[in-house]
Amino acid sequence: MTASHIDYTIRFAIDPAAAARMDTDALRANFHIGDLFRQGRISLTYSHYDRMIVGGAMPVDRPLALETIRPTGTARFLERRELIAVNIGGPGRIEMNGESFRLEPRDMAYAGMGEDVTFSSEDPAAPAKFYLLSAPAHQALPRRHIRIGDAKRLDLGSAATSNERSIFQFIHPEGVKTCQLVVGMTQLAPGSVWNTMPCHVHDRRMEAYLYFDLDDSARVLHLMGEPSETRHIVMAREEAVLSPPWSIHSGCGTANYAFIWAMAGDNVDYTDVEMVPMETMR
């Protein structure tokens, strides 16, 4: 039985031909994830793409325990899973098997297989917002707290191509070890609006994006689909989108923004991608 403070939905895998026939409502129903951060609740989306779970936890005046949901088929949520939580709200705390870590905005915590996890906010007037990412695990790895200043930073792009950006790699082969989760954050500079263009696909890993650091009226047009059969989904602040392994994942905003990207699948190799030539895009 699911705890009263947890809601979940299930998203099934969609093949490229089916996605190409979808209208706007169908695309959003299958790939867009909204209402992630609701006061006093944990909201989860269980995806059949590499069994990734995407969610949000927003504790206010009491802690929120991450308890199991029916799709995992286990007595405890992380019995056979690992978890990454990134805080995009006010200061908060994550407790893992009795050890507590304080997460400032844009800090991340990793919980390995077998951990029990609880989230809390330091100030109910400015609650923490924990963006949650979980995938199946095959071994228990040490819990870790990674501050934004500790992430591997790469400054790429240029103002001339509207994609000047800083990439923060929280999880990478030379740093914190995971079973399969790879997570990072990209911050676009003022005046830059494009992400992941030229684009790519990676058939061995799915990906999920969370767009944030946007004004209420700002939007990002997220591009998806096969390179020869592209579609778009209009994204608002603090909304997520699922990207199947066969799909491109790119976006263009009405202003600069930040987004958290997360992958799960066969490997943790950032370079294992297939670049898409611009002349083949449709």
Side-chain angles (χ1 to χ4, degrees), residues 26-64:
L27 285 170
R28 294 181 72 85
N30 283 279
F31 301 106
H32 173 269
I33 303 174
D35 291 327
L36 277 167
F37 303 103
R38 293 187 290 160
Q39 291 193 1
R41 304 199 64 78
I42 296 176
S43 300
L44 303 171
T45 296
Y46 183 99
S47 166
H48 280 239
Y49 299 114
D50 292 296
R51 304 290 167 168
M52 172 79 93
I53 294 177
V54 177
M58 189 176 177
V60 181
D61 53 2
R62 62 182 177 87
L64 296 176

Side-chain angles (χ1 to χ4, degrees), residues 2 13 44 65-66 128 134 137 154-156 220 227 276:
T2 304
L44 303 171
L66 183 59
S134 177
L154 301 172
D155 294 316
L156 301 173
V220 175
V276 176

Side-chain angles (χ1 to χ4, degrees), residues 101-137:
F101 298 92
R102 185 178 191 270
L103 268 63
E104 294 281 357
R106 305 194 180 201
D107 285 357
M108 186 215 82
Y110 171 79
M113 186 176 71
E115 301 270 18
D116 291 315
V117 177
T118 301
F119 307 100
S120 60
S121 292
E122 291 196 347
D123 182 1
K129 295 178 180 179
F130 296 98
Y131 178 51
L132 309 180
L133 300 149
S134 177

Side-chain angles (χ1 to χ4, degrees), residues 140-174:
L141 295 170
R143 66 185 73 109
R144 294 289 299 272
H145 174 204
I146 305 175
R147 297 171 178 84
I148 183 65
D150 298 330
K152 181 179 179 181
R153 177 171 175 166
L154 301 172
D155 294 316
L156 301 173
S158 70
T161 51
S162 302
N163 68 347
E164 184 179 358
R165 65 203 186 276
S166 297
I167 298 174
F168 299 88
Q169 296 178 351
F170 287 115
I171 302 295
H172 52 90
E174 296 79 33

Side-chain angles (χ1 to χ4, degrees), residues 45 68 78 103 135 151 189 193 223 241 261:
T45 296
T68 195
L78 294 183
L103 268 63
V193 293
L223 303 181
V241 62
W261 40 270

